[in-house]
Amino acid sequence: MGAYLILVGLLYICSLSFAQDCNQQLLENVDFPGTDITSLYSPDAEHCRQLCTEHSSCLFFTFIRADWTRDNRHFYCYLKSTSTGQPKVRTSLLGVTSGFSLKSCIHESQPCLSKVYQNVDFYGADYQALFTADYEGCQRECTQDPACQFFTFVNGVFTPEKIRYKCHLKFSWAVPRTPTVEKKAGVISGFSHNIQMSQHTNTACQGKLFPSTDIPGSNLLALPAASPEHCQSLCSAHPSCTYFSFVSTNFNCHLKGNKNDMVMVAKLGVTSGLPAHFCQLNHSWVKTVHDGVDFRGPSIRYEMVDDAATCQRTCTDDPNCQFYAYVTESFFDRNYWRRCYLNRVITMPNPPKITKLDNVVSGFHLRNCV
């Protein structure tokens, strides 16, 4: 954990700039060169700004627009940071838009992404396809399906003809995922009590768990999880997950995808279960404190507090915090004692790739729109 804590300490220095004034200006044809953290795909500068806002340490960004001509890097969103919170350099550059994180502003935690994009393909991440009369119908299908985060619709003049009017529904994670969960003496971890793990429904339901049971094979995806209930929430959020197995020794959550059969075998240390789609699971598990477990993840900042309970309250009170890790005085390196790390990951709709493509329309669900 030592190297991780050093890295997070550096991120904390960056977080000092979060108190800077709210700057909502978008600067067209202005580049903030260098100081990149990472790059993601975005359809426009507003979406790129939201990604920067949700990223744990991004303070400003540069977005490469569709009218960029120097190379093929269209729709790239470069997330950036400095210790001062300001770009080191600003230069004029045609085809880009730059701006700042909204972390210091009052902003929508789940923004309405109502814009649609003509001749733009949100490539990949498909989980279902159907035919609709127009892109409005496709967007309605996406909005009504809790798993759908964005879509691409093929219009009536597309070639080849056989896929005209096809509506592709696409998935990205809209619930927080802990990037690493591991045993670590002297660390106590947990979740914000305000964490959002369900998709816009008021219908309560009970999950089904099978203790000391494994369901081998049909592996779809393996993710870190803190408990069987956490694993069940991840399976419930994924449209292709039909059941899961959680291994308590290494905190591995194995999502399975098999609609034809389910063969269970007895196995100690493994809990399997079924997802619950279109309903609200009991999420009391988010209040569980995990002693001797480290939730390593991208940190917003750390604060010095006296105990894990205060760390949990600090995370819950911060709308940007999703999960936390507290370093106790039994940790081997006293330099990190009493540090409360507040962590978050991006959960807004995020296409894995965006390209130009004639005669298609892409967009996002409207569940967050009034």
Side-chain angles (χ1 to χ4, degrees):
M1 186 178 187
Y4 155 71
L5 291 174
I6 292 172
L7 173 62
V8 174
L10 294 174
L11 294 178
Y12 171 65
I13 294 173
C14 296
S15 74
L16 295 176
S17 58
F18 286 1
Q20 63 188 349
D21 292 338
C22 171
N23 187 342
Q24 302 186 53
Q25 185 180 13
L26 291 174
L27 305 172
E28 289 202 2
N29 301 319
V30 174
D31 182 27
F32 296 160
T35 68
D36 295 357
I37 302 170
T38 189
S39 65
L40 299 168
Y41 282 97
S42 281
D44 58 25
E46 289 81 3
H47 183 270
C48 182
R49 178 166 60 184
Q50 291 293 340
L51 289 178
C52 181
T53 301
E54 286 204 355
H55 190 280
S56 59
S57 53
C58 179
L59 298 177
F60 48 91
F61 65 90
T62 293
F63 171 72
I64 300 184
R65 302 193 306 262
D67 60 326
W68 168 265
T69 58
R70 291 196 178 188
D71 53 39
N72 293 325
R73 286 179 303 154
H74 303 114
F75 308 113
Y76 277 54
C77 172
Y78 289 95
L79 307 185
K80 302 166 180 282
S81 182
T82 59
S83 59
T84 64
Q86 295 295 322
K88 292 182 177 180
V89 182
R90 304 186 187 206
T91 61
S92 298
L93 186 62
L94 292 176
V96 306
T97 299
S98 295
F100 295 85
S101 162
L102 300 179
K103 289 182 176 71
S104 58
C105 308
I106 299 175
H107 63 276
E108 294 285 344
S109 59
Q110 296 180 319
C112 168
L113 304 173
S114 59
K115 189 183 297 184
V116 295
Y117 304 89
Q118 301 283 344
N119 302 316
V120 174
D121 182 18
F122 289 175
Y123 183 81
D126 298 45
Y127 70 90
Q128 184 179 340
L130 64 157
F131 291 93
T132 59
D134 47 36
Y135 78 79
E136 291 94 342
C138 186
Q139 190 170 45
R140 284 194 298 271
E141 292 284 348
C142 183
T143 300
Q144 292 169 12
D145 186 338
C148 184
Q149 299 301 311
F150 45 94
F151 68 90
T152 293
F153 172 75
V154 180
N155 70 21
V157 295
F158 188 84
T159 301
E161 296 180 11
K162 64 181 181 180
I163 62 170
R164 289 176 180 175
Y165 302 103
K166 199 168 190 179
C167 169
H168 299 267
L169 304 184
K170 300 164 182 280
F171 171 78
S172 67
W173 288 103
V175 298
R177 290 151 295 125
T178 47
T180 302
V181 180
E182 62 183 10
K183 292 182 179 178
K184 184 74 68 175
V187 180
I188 299 173
S189 298
F191 297 92
S192 165
H193 291 186
N194 294 325
I195 194 171
Q196 297 296 317
M197 294 297 297
S198 292
Q199 296 289 323
H200 302 276
T201 176
N202 295 320
T203 303
C205 59
Q206 293 294 323
K208 186 65 175 177
L209 298 178
F210 306 107
S212 301
T213 301
D214 187 22
I215 307 176
S218 304
N219 292 318
L220 177 68
L221 185 64
L223 298 168
S227 64
E229 294 80 7
H230 183 201
C231 186
Q232 184 178 45
S233 291
L234 294 172
C235 182
S236 299
H238 197 293
S240 300
C241 185
T242 55
Y243 43 83
F244 65 90
S245 293
F246 173 76
V247 184
S248 59
T249 54
N250 58 13
F251 303 102
N252 277 350
C253 171
H254 297 276
L255 306 188
K256 315 273 185 170
N258 186 341
K259 297 180 180 179
N260 298 317
D261 52 57
M262 182 176 65
V263 179
M264 294 185 285
V265 298
K267 190 170 184 179
L268 292 176
V270 180
T271 299
S272 296
L274 304 177
H277 299 302
F278 311 113
C279 63
Q280 173 77 45
L281 280 167
N282 183 340
H283 287 151
S284 59
W285 57 266
V286 302
K287 298 182 180 180
T288 301
V289 175
H290 299 271
D291 196 349
V293 177
D294 184 14
F295 288 179
R296 285 200 289 124
S299 290
I300 307 166
R301 66 183 187 279
Y302 72 79
E303 294 188 8
M304 306 298 290
V305 301
D306 290 333
D307 50 48
T310 304
C311 185
Q312 182 279 312
R313 288 193 297 271
T314 303
C315 180
T316 298
D317 291 343
D318 187 328
N320 291 311
C321 183
Q322 297 164 342
F323 50 97
Y324 65 88
Y326 177 70
V327 185
T328 73
E329 294 184 1
S330 62
F331 189 69
F332 72 93
D333 190 339
R334 65 182 301 150
N335 291 321
Y336 299 103
W337 289 0
R338 299 178 55 246
R339 290 190 182 187
C340 172
Y341 290 92
L342 308 181
N343 307 325
R344 75 157 297 122
V345 294
I346 292 173
T347 55
M348 70 174 292
N350 183 21
K353 187 174 183 179
I354 301 178
T355 62
K356 294 182 179 181
L357 183 62
D358 290 340
N359 299 314
V360 303
V361 182
S362 296
F364 299 93
H365 71 79
L366 300 179
R367 291 188 294 275
N368 298 331
C369 303
V370 177

